[in-house]
């Protein structure tokens, strides 16, 4: 599939197409045209989901904490997926959200679902 027209998502069909395109673009090299398209699609999907799926599911940080417990992982076990101990600490303490790179790594490395990881985290105000 070639470049998708980027516009606000208004229908479930457009939403499903955007999710499929995110899956296609997931391995796009950082800084590439495709990576920029991926970043925009994630924002558009997130907006659509916030407006149309107000179900209280765990946010990405809560999900990570639940899965860590289920898998017997410690915070240090997440360093390979999040870059360094500082990133892991800031994410788990709700001081920062997940970057696209972290989302990719957690999805590929630990099988965490994209739809949960790309949802908006509930961050603690600074």
């Amino acid at each position: 599939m070639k470049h998708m027209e980027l516009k606000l998502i208004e229908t479930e069909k457009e939403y499903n197409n955007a999710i499929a395109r995110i899956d296609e673009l997931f391995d796009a090299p950082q800084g590439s045209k495709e990576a920029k398209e991926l970043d925009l699609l994630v924002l558009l999907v997130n907006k659509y989901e916030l407006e149309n799926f107000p179900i209280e599911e765990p946010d990405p940080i809560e999900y990570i904490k639940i899965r860590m417990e289920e898998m017997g992982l410690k915070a240090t076990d997440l360093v390979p997926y999040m870059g360094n101990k500082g990133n892991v600490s800031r994410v788990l303490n709700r001081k920062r959200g997940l970057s696209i790179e972290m989302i990719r790594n957690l999805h590929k490395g630990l099988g965490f679902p994209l739809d949960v990881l790309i949802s908006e985290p509930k961050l603690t105000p600074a």
Side-chain angles (χ1 to χ4, degrees), residues 16-29:
N16 290 330
N17 289 341
I19 293 291
R21 183 65 176 151
I22 286 171
D23 283 341
E24 288 176 13
L25 294 171
F26 204 68
D27 293 321

Side-chain angles (χ1 to χ4, degrees), residues 2-120:
K2 58 182 163 182
H3 183 76
M4 185 174 175
E5 179 191 350
L6 295 177
K7 63 182 186 67
L8 290 178
I9 298 169
E10 297 172 342
T11 67
E12 192 170 340
K13 184 177 194 279
E14 291 172 346
Y15 170 77
N16 290 330
N17 289 341
I19 293 291
R21 183 65 176 151
I22 286 171
D23 283 341
E24 288 176 13
L25 294 171
F26 204 68
D27 293 321
Q30 286 294 92
S32 69
K33 186 172 61 174
E34 291 80 11
K36 290 176 183 165
E37 182 184 351
L38 174 64
D39 290 345
L40 286 171
L41 277 171
V42 167
L43 289 173
L44 294 169
V45 163
N46 205 4
K47 180 182 184 324
Y48 181 85
E49 288 176 346
L50 287 171
E51 293 169 358
N52 293 282
F53 308 124
I55 302 162
E56 271 305 309
E57 293 184 28
D59 77 327
I61 298 168
E62 187 61 29
Y63 177 83
I64 290 168
K65 289 178 178 180
I66 291 167
R67 294 295 290 141
M68 283 174 67
E69 189 174 325
E70 291 172 354
M71 298 168 81
L73 299 174
K74 296 182 194 72
T76 53
D77 297 323
L78 296 181
V79 169
Y81 308 103
M82 294 185 167
N84 61 54
K85 283 191 241 181
N87 284 347
V88 173
S89 175
R90 284 190 292 279
V91 168
L92 294 179
N93 289 307
R94 299 185 175 282
K95 300 298 182 201
R96 72 160 289 174
L98 297 165
S99 69
I100 292 291
E101 192 65 27
M102 289 177 194
I103 291 170
R104 280 189 184 114
N105 293 339
L106 290 166
H107 175 69
K108 272 196 239 172
L110 297 174
F112 293 177
L114 286 177
D115 59 334
V116 173
L117 293 175
I118 65 173
S119 66
E120 192 70 35

